[in-house]
Amino acid sequence: MRPATGNPMRGIALKVSSVVVFLAMQTFIKLAGSDIPPGQVTFCRSFFALFPIMAYLGYQGQLRSAFYTTNPIGHLKRGTLGIISMGLGFYGLLHLPLPEAIALGYAMPLVAVIFAALFLGETVRIYRWSAVFFGMVGVAIISWPKLTLFREGGVHAEQAIGAISVLMASVLGGMAMIQVRRLVEEEKTATIVLYFSITATVLSLVTVPFGWQFLDLGPQLFLIAAGFCGGVAQILLTESYRHADVSTVAPFEYTSIVIGGVIAYFVFGDVPGRSTLVGTAIVVAAGIFIIYREHQLDLERRAARQAGS
């Protein structure tokens, strides 16, 4: 993607801002309470995100055109994968310390590389396969202490299930990313963002019979705030790509582990363990290497197109 205005510093600032707002969303969800059904959390996250998204599209003059689509089935597939991934991710978020939930979520771009090779026929060479392998080793280092807690049972088993939920969310999220890659070939970004929020809102209502709760005012406000933050963060993320290449802003996704660690310590008293720190360092290094390789390959493709023109 070629930047529209060529202002990398603005793109980076918007990217980091989106990371901060996404972390605020996650913090509000954790503050709402761990006993809220994931489907109910997902509905609030999706429904209340529609308000800033639609306001933004209206301001840009894109609201009417954003509803036009030539591939409603594709949006339904992307929404279904995304909503299940979101629900699993929120379950893990509610039952894991924030730094570990963030770190395990970094498995998603690694999984996306595997699925891109399997389902899109993309050529993945030894460098990226090596990065994926080491990234998965890092994920195993982070998650293994939680998985061994199954042996103890009780409340600790919830953290083990939470870790598995985040990993499953990463797998489904990787599949959703593949679906998005297919959609961007024929649909506008505004359409994809809008239809995902609408689809996620509608599909999450299916979970109403499975234990939705009447919430006190505090948890309600936290979930509403989480939804608004999710919508605003999506807007900031989209805007960041208008000002800089994806390869320029993508590495700043990893600022979330630092900012999230600070939030987790001061708000929840969470301190990441040694396995989390070591595993996160490996996963982040693998992710940055993949981003670097993607950037190098993009430069090679551009050079080849220019040479052939």
Side-chain angles (χ1 to χ4, degrees), residues 15-16 19-20 23 106 250-261:
K15 172 64 176 182
V16 174
V19 168
V20 172
L23 286 170
Y106 290 155
F252 289 89
E253 176 69 30
Y254 296 108
T255 58
S256 61
I257 196 63
V258 177
I259 302 171

Side-chain angles (χ1 to χ4, degrees), residues 8 18 21 32 91-92 94 96 106 121 135 159 170 175 186 194 214 242 245 247-248 252 255 268-269 296:
S18 75
V21 180
Y91 180 88
L94 292 171
L96 286 173
Y106 290 155
Q159 291 192 355
S170 295
M175 296 176 68
E186 55 187 19
L194 180 61
F214 179 81
R242 294 184 187 274
D245 288 328
S247 59
T248 299
F252 289 89
T255 58
F268 304 106
Q296 292 297 111

Side-chain angles (χ1 to χ4, degrees), residues 64-79:
R64 180 177 297 180
S65 61
F67 279 98
Y68 176 76
T69 177
T70 59
N71 191 359
I73 300 301
H75 288 289
L76 181 61
K77 291 179 181 177
R78 186 265 189 269

Side-chain angles (χ1 to χ4, degrees), residues 157-211:
E158 292 184 352
Q159 291 192 355
I161 296 172
I164 293 174
S165 295
V166 176
L167 294 176
M168 291 176 63
S170 295
V171 172
L172 291 173
M175 296 176 68
M177 290 175 66
I178 297 302
Q179 185 61 30
V180 170
R181 289 191 189 182
R182 289 171 173 165
L183 285 172
V184 295
E185 296 178 358
E186 55 187 19
E187 300 280 83
K188 296 182 295 185
T189 300
T191 302
I192 296 172
V193 171
L194 180 61
Y195 271 97
F196 173 66
S197 292
I198 293 174
T199 304
T201 298
V202 174
L203 291 180
S204 60
L205 289 173
V206 176
T207 66
V208 171
F210 300 98

Side-chain angles (χ1 to χ4, degrees), residues 36-215:
I36 303 175
Q40 190 171 359
V41 176
T42 303
F43 171 80
C44 292
R45 157 64 178 90
S46 305
F47 176 73
F48 291 105
L50 282 169
F51 292 92
I53 289 174
M54 294 182 73
Y56 168 75
L57 293 177
Y59 175 77
Q60 294 288 328
Q62 300 178 14
L63 183 57
R64 180 177 297 180
S65 61
F67 279 98
Y68 176 76
T69 177
T70 59
N71 191 359
I73 300 301
H75 288 289
L76 181 61
K77 291 179 181 177
R78 186 265 189 269
T80 302
L81 291 168
I83 193 67
I84 299 174
S85 173
M86 191 185 297
L88 290 169
F90 287 158
Y91 180 88
L93 177 64
L94 292 171
H95 293 89
L96 286 173
L98 184 59
E100 296 182 15
I102 294 171
L104 288 173
Y106 290 155
M108 187 183 300
L110 303 177
V111 172
V113 173
I114 298 173
F115 286 159
L118 293 176
F119 301 120
L120 297 182
E122 292 187 5
T123 301
V124 180
R125 295 184 173 85
I126 186 64
Y127 297 104
R128 281 192 289 169
W129 281 127
S130 300
V132 169
F133 172 78
F134 285 108
M136 291 304 179
V137 170
V139 169
I141 292 173
I142 297 168
S143 58
W144 182 249
K146 298 300 178 188
L147 301 183
T148 56
L149 290 176
F150 270 128
R151 302 169 187 168
E152 302 177 18
V155 67
H156 298 292
E158 292 184 352
Q159 291 192 355
I161 296 172
I164 293 174
S165 295
V166 176
L167 294 176
M168 291 176 63
S170 295
V171 172
L172 291 173
M175 296 176 68
M177 290 175 66
I178 297 302
Q179 185 61 30
V180 170
R181 289 191 189 182
R182 289 171 173 165
L183 285 172
V184 295
E185 296 178 358
E186 55 187 19
E187 300 280 83
K188 296 182 295 185
T189 300
T191 302
I192 296 172
V193 171
L194 180 61
Y195 271 97
F196 173 66
S197 292
I198 293 174
T199 304
T201 298
V202 174
L203 291 180
S204 60
L205 289 173
V206 176
T207 66
V208 171
F210 300 98
W212 278 32
Q213 302 174 5
F214 179 81
L215 302 177

